[in-house]
Short mmCIF file of all heavy atoms in Angstrom, two decimals:
data_model
loop_
_atom_site.label_atom_id
_atom_site.label_comp_id
_atom_site.label_asym_id
_atom_site.label_seq_id
_atom_site.Cartn_x
_atom_site.Cartn_y
_atom_site.Cartn_z
N GLY A 187 12.79 -2.53 15.42
CA GLY A 187 12.02 -1.90 16.48
C GLY A 187 12.88 -1.00 17.34
O GLY A 187 12.51 0.14 17.66
N VAL A 188 14.05 -1.50 17.71
CA VAL A 188 14.96 -0.70 18.54
C VAL A 188 15.40 0.56 17.78
O VAL A 188 15.38 1.67 18.33
CB VAL A 188 16.19 -1.54 18.95
CG1 VAL A 188 17.30 -0.65 19.47
CG2 VAL A 188 15.80 -2.56 20.00
N PHE A 189 15.74 0.38 16.51
CA PHE A 189 16.17 1.53 15.71
C PHE A 189 15.08 2.59 15.64
O PHE A 189 15.30 3.78 15.90
CB PHE A 189 16.54 1.06 14.29
CG PHE A 189 16.80 2.18 13.33
CD1 PHE A 189 18.01 2.86 13.36
CD2 PHE A 189 15.85 2.57 12.40
CE1 PHE A 189 18.26 3.91 12.49
CE2 PHE A 189 16.10 3.60 11.51
CZ PHE A 189 17.30 4.28 11.57
N ILE A 190 13.86 2.15 15.33
CA ILE A 190 12.77 3.11 15.19
C ILE A 190 12.51 3.82 16.51
O ILE A 190 12.34 5.04 16.57
CB ILE A 190 11.49 2.39 14.70
CG1 ILE A 190 11.67 1.97 13.25
CG2 ILE A 190 10.27 3.29 14.84
CD1 ILE A 190 10.46 1.29 12.65
N ASP A 191 12.48 3.06 17.62
CA ASP A 191 12.21 3.69 18.90
C ASP A 191 13.31 4.66 19.30
O ASP A 191 13.03 5.73 19.85
CB ASP A 191 12.03 2.62 19.99
CG ASP A 191 10.70 1.90 19.85
OD1 ASP A 191 9.77 2.53 19.33
OD2 ASP A 191 10.60 0.73 20.24
N LEU A 192 14.55 4.30 19.03
CA LEU A 192 15.66 5.21 19.33
C LEU A 192 15.50 6.52 18.56
O LEU A 192 15.56 7.61 19.13
CB LEU A 192 16.99 4.58 18.91
CG LEU A 192 17.73 3.77 19.97
CD1 LEU A 192 19.00 3.20 19.38
CD2 LEU A 192 18.07 4.65 21.16
N VAL A 193 15.30 6.39 17.25
CA VAL A 193 15.22 7.58 16.41
C VAL A 193 14.03 8.45 16.80
O VAL A 193 14.12 9.68 16.81
CB VAL A 193 15.15 7.18 14.92
CG1 VAL A 193 14.81 8.36 14.06
CG2 VAL A 193 16.46 6.56 14.48
N ARG A 194 12.92 7.80 17.16
CA ARG A 194 11.74 8.59 17.50
C ARG A 194 11.88 9.26 18.86
O ARG A 194 11.15 10.17 19.18
CB ARG A 194 10.49 7.72 17.48
CG ARG A 194 10.06 7.35 16.08
CD ARG A 194 8.65 6.85 16.04
NE ARG A 194 8.43 5.71 16.91
CZ ARG A 194 7.26 5.13 17.08
NH1 ARG A 194 6.20 5.58 16.43
NH2 ARG A 194 7.12 4.09 17.87
N SER A 195 12.79 8.75 19.69
CA SER A 195 12.93 9.34 21.02
C SER A 195 13.83 10.55 21.04
O SER A 195 13.93 11.24 22.04
CB SER A 195 13.50 8.30 21.99
OG SER A 195 12.95 7.05 21.75
N VAL A 196 14.52 10.77 19.93
CA VAL A 196 15.53 11.84 19.91
C VAL A 196 14.98 13.00 19.09
O VAL A 196 14.45 12.79 18.02
CB VAL A 196 16.83 11.31 19.28
CG1 VAL A 196 17.85 12.41 19.13
CG2 VAL A 196 17.38 10.17 20.11
N PRO A 197 15.12 14.23 19.59
CA PRO A 197 14.61 15.36 18.81
C PRO A 197 15.40 15.53 17.52
O PRO A 197 16.58 15.18 17.46
CB PRO A 197 14.82 16.58 19.73
CG PRO A 197 15.40 16.10 20.97
CD PRO A 197 15.67 14.64 20.88
N LEU A 198 14.75 16.08 16.53
CA LEU A 198 15.39 16.21 15.22
C LEU A 198 16.66 17.05 15.32
O LEU A 198 17.65 16.78 14.66
CB LEU A 198 14.40 16.84 14.24
CG LEU A 198 14.87 17.00 12.80
CD1 LEU A 198 15.34 15.69 12.23
CD2 LEU A 198 13.76 17.59 11.94
N ILE A 199 16.61 18.06 16.16
CA ILE A 199 17.80 18.91 16.32
C ILE A 199 18.99 18.07 16.78
O ILE A 199 20.11 18.22 16.28
CB ILE A 199 17.52 20.03 17.34
CG1 ILE A 199 16.48 20.98 16.78
CG2 ILE A 199 18.78 20.76 17.67
CD1 ILE A 199 16.23 22.18 17.66
N ALA A 200 18.73 17.18 17.73
CA ALA A 200 19.82 16.34 18.24
C ALA A 200 20.36 15.45 17.13
O ALA A 200 21.56 15.22 17.04
CB ALA A 200 19.33 15.50 19.41
N ILE A 201 19.48 14.96 16.28
CA ILE A 201 19.93 14.13 15.16
C ILE A 201 20.78 14.94 14.21
O ILE A 201 21.81 14.48 13.70
CB ILE A 201 18.73 13.49 14.44
CG1 ILE A 201 18.07 12.47 15.35
CG2 ILE A 201 19.13 12.89 13.12
CD1 ILE A 201 17.03 11.62 14.71
N MET A 202 20.37 16.18 13.97
CA MET A 202 21.15 17.05 13.09
C MET A 202 22.54 17.27 13.67
O MET A 202 23.55 17.16 12.98
CB MET A 202 20.47 18.42 12.96
CG MET A 202 19.12 18.35 12.32
SD MET A 202 19.31 18.46 10.54
CE MET A 202 17.66 18.21 10.04
N PHE A 203 22.60 17.58 14.98
CA PHE A 203 23.89 17.78 15.63
C PHE A 203 24.73 16.52 15.55
O PHE A 203 25.91 16.56 15.23
CB PHE A 203 23.69 18.15 17.11
CG PHE A 203 23.56 19.62 17.34
CD1 PHE A 203 22.49 20.13 18.04
CD2 PHE A 203 24.53 20.49 16.86
CE1 PHE A 203 22.37 21.48 18.24
CE2 PHE A 203 24.42 21.85 17.07
CZ PHE A 203 23.33 22.35 17.75
N GLY A 204 24.06 15.39 15.87
CA GLY A 204 24.77 14.12 15.84
C GLY A 204 25.38 13.87 14.48
O GLY A 204 26.55 13.50 14.36
N ALA A 205 24.55 14.09 13.44
CA ALA A 205 25.03 13.81 12.09
C ALA A 205 26.18 14.73 11.70
O ALA A 205 27.16 14.30 11.10
CB ALA A 205 23.89 13.95 11.09
N SER A 206 26.08 16.00 12.10
CA SER A 206 27.09 16.92 11.59
C SER A 206 28.33 16.96 12.47
O SER A 206 29.44 17.13 11.97
CB SER A 206 26.49 18.31 11.44
OG SER A 206 26.30 18.88 12.71
N LEU A 207 28.17 16.80 13.80
CA LEU A 207 29.33 16.96 14.66
C LEU A 207 29.89 15.66 15.21
O LEU A 207 31.10 15.48 15.29
CB LEU A 207 28.96 17.86 15.85
CG LEU A 207 28.55 19.29 15.48
CD1 LEU A 207 28.04 20.01 16.72
CD2 LEU A 207 29.71 20.04 14.85
N VAL A 208 28.97 14.74 15.59
CA VAL A 208 29.42 13.54 16.28
C VAL A 208 29.88 12.47 15.31
O VAL A 208 30.88 11.78 15.54
CB VAL A 208 28.29 12.98 17.18
CG1 VAL A 208 28.70 11.68 17.81
CG2 VAL A 208 27.92 14.00 18.24
#
Side-chain angles (χ1 to χ4, degrees):
Chain A
V188 165
F189 172 78
I190 289 181
D191 286 332
L192 269 179
V193 170
R194 287 197 303 178
S195 320
V196 175
L198 183 55
I199 293 185
I201 291 190
M202 296 273 175
F203 271 127
S206 72
L207 298 173
V208 175

